[in-house]
Amino acid sequence: MVFEYTPAIIANLESSHSPERLGPYYALAGNDKVLGLQLYAWNSALSQALYTPLQGLEVTLRNGLGDQLKAAFGPTWFDLNPGPALQYPLPDMLLKVRTELGRHGSVADHGRVVAELNWGFWTGLLAKRYEQLWRSHFRKVFRSEGPLTRAQIFQPLDDLRRLRNRIAHHEPILNRNIAADYASIIQLISYISPDTARWIDEHSQVAAVITAKP
Protein backbone atom coordinates (compact mmCIF):
# COMPACT_ATOMS: atom_id res chain seq x y z
CA MET A 1 0.00 0.00 0.00
CA VAL A 2 1.39 3.40 -1.04
CA PHE A 3 1.34 6.07 1.66
CA GLU A 4 -0.70 9.09 0.59
CA TYR A 5 0.90 12.46 1.30
CA THR A 6 -2.04 14.83 1.47
CA PRO A 7 -1.50 18.49 2.44
CA ALA A 8 -3.05 17.77 5.85
CA ILE A 9 -0.75 14.77 6.45
CA ILE A 10 2.31 16.77 5.38
CA ALA A 11 1.32 19.52 7.82
CA ASN A 12 0.95 16.97 10.62
CA LEU A 13 4.33 15.41 9.85
CA GLU A 14 5.94 18.84 9.89
CA SER A 15 4.30 19.50 13.25
CA SER A 16 5.49 16.22 14.79
CA HIS A 17 9.01 16.31 13.35
CA SER A 18 9.52 20.11 13.10
CA PRO A 19 10.22 22.08 9.91
CA GLU A 20 13.85 22.51 11.04
CA ARG A 21 14.44 18.75 11.08
CA LEU A 22 12.76 18.22 7.73
CA GLY A 23 14.36 21.27 6.13
CA PRO A 24 17.58 19.54 4.94
CA TYR A 25 15.52 16.84 3.21
CA TYR A 26 13.27 19.40 1.54
CA ALA A 27 16.39 21.16 0.29
CA LEU A 28 17.77 17.94 -1.17
CA ALA A 29 14.42 17.37 -2.85
CA GLY A 30 14.32 20.83 -4.44
CA ASN A 31 11.57 21.81 -1.99
CA ASP A 32 9.36 18.94 -3.17
CA LYS A 33 7.87 18.10 0.22
CA VAL A 34 6.63 14.66 -0.76
CA LEU A 35 10.06 13.65 -2.05
CA GLY A 36 11.66 15.28 0.99
CA LEU A 37 9.55 13.18 3.36
CA GLN A 38 10.35 10.08 1.34
CA LEU A 39 14.06 10.91 1.63
CA TYR A 40 13.62 11.35 5.37
CA ALA A 41 12.06 7.89 5.61
CA TRP A 42 14.84 6.48 3.43
CA ASN A 43 17.46 8.06 5.67
CA SER A 44 15.83 6.31 8.63
CA ALA A 45 15.88 3.01 6.76
CA LEU A 46 19.58 3.46 5.95
CA SER A 47 20.31 4.17 9.60
CA GLN A 48 18.41 1.08 10.67
CA ALA A 49 20.15 -1.12 8.10
CA LEU A 50 23.57 0.11 9.20
CA TYR A 51 22.90 -0.41 12.90
CA THR A 52 23.63 -4.14 12.99
CA PRO A 53 26.87 -3.97 10.93
CA LEU A 54 28.13 -1.05 13.05
CA GLN A 55 27.20 -2.92 16.21
CA GLY A 56 29.05 -5.98 14.91
CA LEU A 57 32.15 -3.88 14.23
CA GLU A 58 32.08 -2.27 17.67
CA VAL A 59 31.64 -5.57 19.52
CA THR A 60 34.29 -7.36 17.45
CA LEU A 61 36.74 -4.48 17.88
CA ARG A 62 36.29 -4.07 21.63
CA ASN A 63 36.61 -7.80 22.30
CA GLY A 64 39.75 -8.04 20.18
CA LEU A 65 41.48 -5.06 21.78
CA GLY A 66 40.16 -5.99 25.22
CA ASP A 67 41.66 -9.47 24.95
CA GLN A 68 45.04 -7.97 24.11
CA LEU A 69 44.87 -5.59 27.07
CA LYS A 70 43.98 -8.46 29.40
CA ALA A 71 46.76 -10.69 28.03
CA ALA A 72 49.36 -7.94 28.27
CA PHE A 73 48.41 -6.21 31.53
CA GLY A 74 46.27 -8.70 33.41
CA PRO A 75 42.53 -9.01 34.16
CA THR A 76 42.45 -5.66 35.99
CA TRP A 77 44.27 -3.70 33.26
CA PHE A 78 41.60 -1.00 33.59
CA ASP A 79 43.00 -0.01 37.02
CA LEU A 80 46.06 1.30 35.16
CA ASN A 81 48.23 0.24 38.11
CA PRO A 82 49.99 -1.41 36.46
CA GLY A 83 48.48 -1.10 33.02
CA PRO A 84 48.82 0.58 29.64
CA ALA A 85 50.11 4.16 29.72
CA LEU A 86 47.00 6.01 28.55
CA GLN A 87 46.49 9.74 28.08
CA TYR A 88 43.46 12.01 28.50
CA PRO A 89 40.61 11.38 27.96
CA LEU A 90 40.93 7.59 28.09
CA PRO A 91 41.75 7.27 31.82
CA ASP A 92 38.76 9.48 32.62
CA MET A 93 36.54 7.26 30.47
CA LEU A 94 37.75 4.21 32.40
CA LEU A 95 37.15 5.91 35.74
CA LYS A 96 33.65 6.91 34.70
CA VAL A 97 32.76 3.33 33.71
CA ARG A 98 34.18 1.90 36.94
CA THR A 99 32.31 4.50 38.99
CA GLU A 100 29.03 3.80 37.22
CA LEU A 101 29.41 0.06 37.69
CA GLY A 102 30.06 0.55 41.40
CA ARG A 103 27.09 2.87 41.71
CA HIS A 104 24.86 0.14 40.35
CA GLY A 105 26.34 -2.51 42.63
CA SER A 106 28.34 -4.29 39.93
CA VAL A 107 31.93 -5.44 40.23
CA ALA A 108 34.26 -3.76 37.75
CA ASP A 109 35.69 -6.83 36.07
CA HIS A 110 37.16 -7.22 32.59
CA GLY A 111 33.93 -8.27 30.87
CA ARG A 112 31.79 -5.52 32.34
CA VAL A 113 34.33 -2.79 31.71
CA VAL A 114 34.85 -3.84 28.09
CA ALA A 115 31.11 -3.90 27.49
CA GLU A 116 30.53 -0.45 29.00
CA LEU A 117 33.34 1.43 27.26
CA ASN A 118 32.16 3.27 24.15
CA TRP A 119 33.38 3.37 20.56
CA GLY A 120 35.42 6.49 21.26
CA PHE A 121 37.57 4.67 23.81
CA TRP A 122 38.42 1.78 21.52
CA THR A 123 39.10 4.03 18.54
CA GLY A 124 41.20 6.27 20.78
CA LEU A 125 43.47 3.33 21.62
CA LEU A 126 44.45 3.25 17.96
CA ALA A 127 45.35 6.94 17.71
CA LYS A 128 48.86 8.00 16.71
CA ARG A 129 49.94 8.60 20.32
CA TYR A 130 49.55 4.86 20.97
CA GLU A 131 51.75 3.69 18.11
CA GLN A 132 53.88 1.68 20.54
CA LEU A 133 50.81 -0.16 21.88
CA TRP A 134 49.86 -0.88 18.28
CA ARG A 135 53.25 -2.39 17.49
CA SER A 136 53.55 -4.42 20.67
CA HIS A 137 49.94 -5.54 21.19
CA PHE A 138 47.09 -4.25 19.04
CA ARG A 139 48.60 -5.21 15.68
CA LYS A 140 47.97 -8.83 16.70
CA VAL A 141 44.20 -8.22 16.60
CA PHE A 142 44.17 -7.52 12.86
CA ARG A 143 45.12 -9.93 10.10
CA SER A 144 45.72 -9.20 6.44
CA GLU A 145 47.67 -10.66 3.56
CA GLY A 146 49.92 -7.62 3.31
CA PRO A 147 51.38 -5.07 5.73
CA LEU A 148 48.75 -3.22 7.75
CA THR A 149 49.45 0.07 9.51
CA ARG A 150 47.74 1.56 12.53
CA ALA A 151 46.51 4.47 10.39
CA GLN A 152 44.79 2.06 8.00
CA ILE A 153 42.65 0.93 10.93
CA PHE A 154 42.28 4.20 12.82
CA GLN A 155 41.19 6.48 9.98
CA PRO A 156 38.18 4.44 8.77
CA LEU A 157 37.24 3.60 12.36
CA ASP A 158 37.21 7.28 13.29
CA ASP A 159 35.12 8.13 10.22
CA LEU A 160 32.65 5.37 11.07
CA ARG A 161 32.52 6.69 14.64
CA ARG A 162 31.21 9.97 13.24
CA LEU A 163 28.70 8.09 11.09
CA ARG A 164 27.50 6.15 14.12
CA ASN A 165 27.10 9.37 16.08
CA ARG A 166 25.02 10.91 13.30
CA ILE A 167 22.78 7.85 13.30
CA ALA A 168 22.45 7.98 17.10
CA HIS A 169 21.37 11.63 16.91
CA HIS A 170 18.90 11.02 14.04
CA GLU A 171 20.86 13.23 11.66
CA PRO A 172 21.04 12.94 7.86
CA ILE A 173 23.46 10.38 6.48
CA LEU A 174 22.05 10.07 2.95
CA ASN A 175 24.63 12.50 1.55
CA ARG A 176 27.38 9.98 2.40
CA ASN A 177 28.59 7.16 0.19
CA ILE A 178 26.75 4.50 2.17
CA ALA A 179 27.97 1.67 -0.04
CA ALA A 180 31.57 2.70 0.69
CA ASP A 181 30.79 3.06 4.40
CA TYR A 182 29.35 -0.43 4.48
CA ALA A 183 32.31 -1.87 2.59
CA SER A 184 34.60 -0.24 5.16
CA ILE A 185 32.65 -1.81 8.03
CA ILE A 186 32.88 -5.27 6.51
CA GLN A 187 36.58 -4.85 5.68
CA LEU A 188 37.45 -3.80 9.23
CA ILE A 189 35.54 -6.71 10.74
CA SER A 190 37.20 -9.12 8.31
CA TYR A 191 40.64 -8.03 9.57
CA ILE A 192 39.62 -9.32 13.01
CA SER A 193 37.21 -12.15 12.19
CA PRO A 194 36.53 -13.11 8.56
CA ASP A 195 33.72 -15.46 9.61
CA THR A 196 31.99 -12.67 11.52
CA ALA A 197 32.30 -10.38 8.50
CA ARG A 198 30.71 -12.98 6.22
CA TRP A 199 27.95 -13.66 8.76
CA ILE A 200 27.06 -9.98 9.09
CA ASP A 201 27.19 -9.47 5.33
CA GLU A 202 24.91 -12.47 4.78
CA HIS A 203 22.21 -10.92 6.98
CA SER A 204 22.68 -7.31 5.91
CA GLN A 205 19.86 -5.26 4.39
CA VAL A 206 22.09 -2.34 3.39
CA ALA A 207 22.25 -3.12 -0.35
CA ALA A 208 18.48 -3.56 -0.58
CA VAL A 209 17.83 -0.26 1.19
CA ILE A 210 20.32 1.60 -1.02
CA THR A 211 18.50 0.27 -4.09
CA ALA A 212 15.17 1.50 -2.70
CA LYS A 213 16.21 5.18 -2.82
CA PRO A 214 13.19 7.39 -3.72
Side-chain angles (χ1 to χ4, degrees), residues 39-51 173 205-206 209 212:
L39 288 173
Y40 183 92
W42 184 62
N43 188 81
S44 296
L46 284 174
S47 298
Q48 182 179 6
L50 284 168
Y51 177 80
I173 62 169
Q205 298 298 313
V206 173
V209 174

Side-chain angles (χ1 to χ4, degrees), residues 73-84 91 94-95 98 108-109 113:
F73 302 102
T76 58
W77 60 269
F78 45 83
D79 286 336
L80 301 180
N81 186 31
L94 280 170
L95 178 60
R98 291 166 57 196
D109 59 18
V113 170

